[in-house]
Amino acid sequence: MRKMRVAKEDVLKLYQRLNDEAEASGYHLNPDIEFTKELIRGLLTNEQRYGYWACPCRLASGAREEDLDIVCPCDYRDHDLTEYDQCYCALYVSEKVVRGEKTTGSIPERRGTTQEKAKAGSSSKAISELSFPVWRCRVCGYLCARETPPEICPICKARRERFEKFI
Amino acid sequence: MLSRSVFEIEEFMMQHVPGQNQGKITLYALSTCGWCEKTKKFLDNLGAEYSYVYVDLLQSDQKQAAVNEVRRWNPRCSFPTVVINDEVCVVGYNEQEIKKAIGI
């Protein structure tokens, strides 16, 4: 496979777009802008190669269906943000990293550990058998089903401590 | 035939970087990955002789052979994977572990 050419302007444009979207919904791009731009160049390269934004730090199969879980933002981003203050490739980081209280690095690959679990839990179940707890933002009522509430509510920007366990 | 396919990976896919002999160092990387790039730069700065391959740039047969080789060392097949002296495998960008493995 040949190396793809991605224009500098396209990288900058997507960087700005992703940064605006991230900040508007309670996420943060990695403040190491040069590193971040290279990841974004990787996303655009993968878009040219495969037709979708496969994670730049994972080997894509080339079949979108097989790679859905690693299309950026990947299924593992929020879990990794909670546990490691960054996603796998470190395009997204936590507030701690933005404030300089934590540095980024290589983190363990989560893919393959939770994938099976997520697939197994897709059928309808009684409330007592839910695969994830449901969290409610006390400020705006936003509901989400995941291990822990998000760092910041993506709707109203309330912080994690404003969430309560709903189910 | 298995040993032949391993031989093919080493001889035809790898890019060789000349430098000081610190043992056999092989880097399996992705051309789009920031941590792979940092690992490669680290090896460059060490001045060590090493071989690398961008697995994402390989054609399908060679890619499969490379993936099989990475899996032998790192079953999750994540990148970067650095194999030192066909003995030790360092997964991810980890300067300390690489230094330890080559004994510096």
Side-chain angles (χ1 to χ4, degrees):
Chain A
M1 192 171 290
R2 67 195 170 86
K3 264 207 158 178
M4 297 286 177
R5 287 239 160 260
V6 174
K8 229 178 173 177
E9 313 83 82
D10 292 340
V11 173
L12 196 63
K13 232 197 281 175
L14 183 57
Y15 170 78
Q16 277 158 355
R17 195 191 111 194
L18 289 180
N19 195 47
D20 291 347
E21 286 177 3
E23 292 301 323
S25 53
Y27 292 95
H28 309 286
L29 293 191
N30 190 330
D32 181 345
I33 293 176
E34 288 316 306
F35 184 82
T36 302
K37 280 186 188 160
E38 283 310 303
L39 291 174
I40 289 174
R41 179 182 297 280
L43 283 180
L44 289 170
T45 301
N46 284 345
E47 184 177 18
Q48 288 182 12
R49 277 183 193 162
Y50 311 117
Y52 51 91
W53 286 356
C55 173
C57 293
R58 291 176 166 118
L59 184 62
S61 71
R64 191 171 193 280
E65 196 141 294
E66 271 176 48
D67 289 341
L68 266 188
D69 61 317
I70 56 161
V71 173
C72 185
C74 66
D75 284 10
Y76 314 103
R77 175 185 66 171
D78 287 21
H79 209 149
D80 283 333
L81 280 172
T82 303
E83 191 168 346
Y84 300 107
D85 291 285
Q86 64 172 87
C87 69
Y88 184 66
C89 72
L91 177 61
Y92 290 94
V93 299
S94 72
E95 277 206 329
K96 261 193 191 165
V97 172
V98 173
R99 287 198 301 260
E101 292 165 15
K102 197 142 189 229
T103 53
T104 54
S106 267
I107 63 168
E109 169 62 294
R110 190 179 295 278
R111 190 185 203 200
T113 54
T114 49
Q115 207 178 6
E116 290 82 359
K117 192 176 139 193
K119 274 183 186 157
S122 61
S123 61
S124 64
K125 284 178 172 174
I127 280 177
S128 59
E129 295 174 328
L130 289 176
S131 51
F132 292 99
V134 177
W135 301 91
R136 178 180 178 276
C137 173
R138 275 203 284 254
V139 177
C140 72
Y142 165 72
L143 297 179
C144 58
R146 36 183 272 173
E147 298 286 6
T148 56
E151 194 167 33
I152 295 173
C153 173
I155 305 300
C156 73
K157 314 293 178 267
R159 307 189 71 84
R160 177 177 286 158
E161 60 268 20
R162 304 293 295 271
F163 278 78
E164 65 184 359
K165 198 168 177 190
F166 188 61
I167 302 175
Chain B
M1 286 310 279
L2 183 69
S3 60
R4 185 186 158 85
S5 74
V6 170
F7 173 78
E8 281 173 359
I9 294 166
E10 290 179 356
E11 289 309 306
F12 300 106
M13 297 179 193
M14 292 290 172
Q15 306 289 316
H16 297 278
V17 179
Q20 206 185 335
N21 185 355
Q22 305 268 20
K24 188 181 168 196
I25 305 173
T26 309
L27 164 65
Y28 295 91
L30 299 179
S31 67
T32 51
C33 169
W35 301 111
C36 294
E37 215 41 47
K38 278 189 192 278
T39 304
K40 192 168 174 300
K41 282 209 176 109
F42 171 70
L43 291 174
D44 289 338
N45 290 336
L46 272 186
E49 179 184 0
Y50 71 99
S51 300
Y52 72 94
V53 59
Y54 286 131
V55 177
D56 58 320
L57 297 179
L58 297 173
Q59 297 299 329
S60 57
D61 285 357
Q62 290 189 325
K63 190 190 279 184
Q64 194 51 55
V67 164
N68 291 345
E69 184 60 14
V70 174
R71 280 226 170 93
R72 280 204 316 133
W73 297 99
N74 169 13
R76 197 143 279 166
C77 195
S78 60
F79 298 89
T81 292
V82 183
V83 178
I84 293 140
N85 292 327
D86 292 320
E87 253 172 30
V88 186
C89 168
V90 179
V91 175
Y93 169 58
N94 191 330
E95 295 187 2
Q96 292 315 313
E97 287 296 315
I98 292 173
K99 278 187 179 171
K100 207 168 90 187
I102 61 180
I104 55 168

